Amino acid sequence: MSTLTIQNDTKKLFSAGDVIMRQGDEGDCAYIILSGRVEIIVTNENGGQQHVGSRGAGAMIGEMALIDNAPRTATIKATQDCQLLEISKENFGQRIDSADPVIKMAIQVILTRYRDILKRAEIIGHPAASELDAEAIELDLARGSSAMETLRLANDFEHALENGHIYAYYQPIMDIQSGKIAGFEALMRWIDPDKGFIRPDLFIPVLEESGLIVKASQWMLKESLKALKRIENKAGFENDLFMSVNFSSHDFSEAGFTQTVYDTISTTDIKPQQLHIEITERLLIGQPDKANATLSECRQAGIGISIDDFGTGYSSLSYLHAFPIDCLKIDRSFVMMIEKDERARQLVHSIVGLGQNLGIKIIAEGIETEEESEMLKSMGCEMGQGYYFCKPMPETEVILFAKEHH
Ligand code: C2E
Ligand code: CA
Ligand code: CA
């Protein structure tokens, strides 16, 4: 008999006849059988019960709980007294993260294949897939083996960039007071020919973690500024619109960041004032001296500076006068509350007032309804973006929108 030597584990004892897990119940852990034996029973649609197998020491039971949130698919009963090792999702993730790299890789391959099988089952409408949430599995995979997932995604991204699977989308930013278009935010899209749409909130953090974000940002900057020129030409504007591009702290740490940005501006024939750099409060607090030097260089060059997700970072407002800031983007989490929540409304109103007093423009993010837009307009908020006006779109569609909102 083999002995398992795992530290800090939770062991559970069951007597012969006990139900260990019940079909239909929510699964939150798996077990490895250390000793004893269990039987697996499936209840069919008519309520009939069927014995489908048995398992002994060394086997894993309830393993689906580790990769998806679906209910238990079978009832498992102890047929002998059993000692089980409990494995929660968190515990599973920790074990993978601290495993030997080869073991990690093997688990990653198995889980990825498993997920692909489930996805295929879903496509052909196999009943096994109906309860499974592919997106949840995707997230669990990222959580469960973050190191491997980072490596894989980062590797795939470079490939995707070379093969034209990375796209620049643009979301119009509106002048709320006049209803005309003021500019765009450039947003990255990864559309894989096989896997489909890969969400930015999944891959952008991976790019940041791996440092690949610098390459991605430079690509985005060039693409979006070239596009701005074409959009203006085709929609009848002349250096009137701006392009807001997201940058991370990695970008800011690069030597010669401002020079690189300035070179791109020169080659794309737009005015420096037409570029807005979007950064978060976190970046300012994390590396204040470096940030201030870089932002001052940008300001001298005429480039606009926007603070993204304003209100979600640090509460200190001292940076508003310590750094050269042109624009505050009020986070969507506040905007979505202004209709129902009086305090959120007051808060947003105060930020608009603050902006007016300091000569900083305000952009409200994530406007989804006419009511929100009207409310922000009456508060004196200058600009807004959100699904109410327009979703992020490829260049060809954005040109039509710009023509209509000249
Ligand atoms: P973000 O910078 O806060 O971008 C705004 C996000 O809100 C975008 O999500 C946009 O599609 C979404 N959005 C806009 N209006 C609405 C609305 O009315 N309702 C709702 N529910 N959502 C709205 P997206 O494109 O998925 O991007 C997510 C995040 O990924 C971005 O958040 C940004 O942090 C990051 N990201 C995207 N593209 C880039 C990029 O090129 N560079 C960098 N560094 N980050 C990027
Ligand atoms: Ca942004
Ligand atoms: Ca934002």
Side-chain angles (χ1 to χ4, degrees):
M1 188 185 143
S2 63
T3 46
L4 278 156
T5 50
I6 297 166
Q7 305 291 314
N8 302 327
D9 44 15
T10 309
K11 288 178 187 157
K12 292 208 163 155
L13 297 171
F14 290 88
S15 305
D18 284 351
V19 172
I20 298 166
M21 63 185 72
R22 202 178 292 277
Q23 188 173 340
D25 282 358
E26 195 183 318
D28 59 357
C29 69
Y31 297 103
I32 289 177
I33 305 174
L34 299 178
S35 64
R37 201 156 184 88
V38 303
E39 68 167 335
I40 306 167
I41 305 153
V42 171
T43 309
N44 61 32
E45 282 166 17
N46 309 321
Q49 291 200 333
Q50 205 181 344
H51 170 99
V52 294
S54 68
R55 299 280 185 275
M60 188 183 256
I61 51 174
E63 70 277 11
M64 289 290 283
L66 298 177
I67 58 162
D68 90 301
N69 294 318
R72 300 286 195 201
T73 51
T75 296
I76 296 185
K77 237 181 189 175
T79 48
Q80 297 169 0
D81 292 351
C82 287
Q83 190 186 29
L84 306 181
L85 175 70
E86 186 181 279
I87 305 160
S88 66
K89 262 189 194 172
E90 195 192 2
N91 179 284
F92 183 60
Q94 285 167 356
R95 282 168 195 265
I96 292 180
D97 272 345
S98 58
D100 176 285
V102 177
I103 302 294
K104 237 187 231 180
M105 173 82 79
I107 292 172
Q108 181 65 29
V109 168
I110 293 163
L111 287 178
T112 307
R113 292 223 178 110
Y114 192 37
R115 184 196 54 199
D116 290 347
I117 290 166
L118 292 176
K119 273 193 177 157
R120 270 201 295 281
E122 196 173 52
I123 292 163
I124 61 169
H126 191 279
S130 62
E131 299 159 341
L132 301 173
D133 180 344
E135 198 170 85
I137 296 171
E138 195 96 37
L139 279 174
D140 287 340
L141 271 175
R143 264 199 299 270
S145 55
S146 53
M148 279 317 295
E149 189 70 359
T150 301
L151 255 178
R152 193 172 65 88
L153 262 185
N155 191 19
D156 288 355
F157 180 85
E158 285 207 275
H159 212 65
L161 195 59
E162 280 158 22
N163 290 294
H165 303 150
I166 304 297
Y167 302 85
Y169 272 41
Y170 307 98
Q171 184 172 38
I173 298 178
M174 308 302 290
D175 177 327
I176 300 188
Q177 302 298 327
S178 69
K180 290 180 183 167
I181 190 165
F184 307 94
E185 176 173 2
L187 292 160
M188 202 175 286
R189 294 290 176 261
W190 181 354
I191 307 171
D192 184 89
D194 300 322
K195 291 183 218 145
F197 181 76
I198 302 173
R199 296 200 334 235
D201 49 7
L202 206 77
F203 76 82
I204 296 281
V206 170
L207 299 187
E208 284 175 353
E209 220 171 295
S210 63
L212 262 177
I213 191 74
V214 176
K215 195 171 175 186
S217 300
Q218 290 307 325
W219 177 86
M220 197 56 173
L221 178 70
K222 209 170 272 169
E223 283 300 309
S224 62
L225 294 188
K226 283 192 286 187
L228 179 63
K229 196 73 204 167
R230 291 191 294 262
I231 295 168
E232 284 210 320
N233 285 342
K234 290 192 177 144
F237 291 84
E238 204 186 331
N239 304 126
D240 307 310
L241 304 177
F242 65 82
M243 183 62 74
S244 208
V245 182
N246 292 284
F247 287 97
S248 74
S249 50
H250 274 280
D251 298 303
F252 260 57
S253 312
E254 285 288 292
F257 169 78
T258 323
Q259 189 57 46
T260 320
V261 170
Y262 208 73
D263 290 348
T264 308
I265 291 177
S266 314
T267 56
T268 50
D269 194 25
I270 64 136
K271 290 212 154 66
Q273 291 76 8
Q274 288 182 274
L275 170 64
H276 288 199
I277 281 178
E278 273 191 34
I279 52 169
T280 59
E281 296 165 272
R282 237 168 306 129
L283 185 147
L284 298 182
I285 313 296
Q287 38 176 321
D289 295 338
K290 174 84 181 126
N292 208 3
T294 307
L295 291 181
S296 299
E297 284 170 16
C298 290
R299 166 61 71 81
Q300 272 164 18
I303 298 163
I305 295 145
S306 298
I307 301 299
D308 202 0
D309 307 336
F310 182 69
T312 60
Y314 293 79
S315 52
S316 163
L317 292 179
S318 57
Y319 71 81
L320 285 183
H321 83 117
F323 298 102
I325 291 162
D326 302 285
C327 225
L328 294 180
K329 300 189 77 176
I330 307 179
D331 191 65
R332 186 173 87 85
S333 55
F334 301 107
V335 174
M336 69 196 285
M337 309 254 286
I338 58 171
E339 263 192 88
K340 295 195 182 78
D341 189 298
E342 173 62 26
R343 282 170 69 85
R345 187 154 56 238
Q346 288 302 338
L347 187 73
V348 169
H349 206 156
S350 307
I351 299 174
V352 172
L354 185 76
Q356 284 164 346
N357 290 330
L358 294 175
I360 296 176
K361 288 209 165 64
I362 304 293
I363 300 179
E365 285 194 301
I367 303 177
E368 291 191 351
T369 67
E370 187 179 354
E371 289 74 19
E372 286 165 359
S373 173
E374 284 304 317
M375 221 171 246
L376 287 158
K377 185 177 178 181
S378 68
M379 288 179 191
C381 179
E382 283 106 338
M383 288 180 275
Q385 74 185 91
Y387 296 170
Y388 169 61
F389 303 110
C390 189
K391 285 198 171 184
M393 295 187 301
E395 183 179 331
T396 45
E397 290 171 45
V398 144
I399 290 170
L400 299 175
F401 184 91
K403 269 186 195 162
E404 286 164 15
H405 296 83
H406 203 306

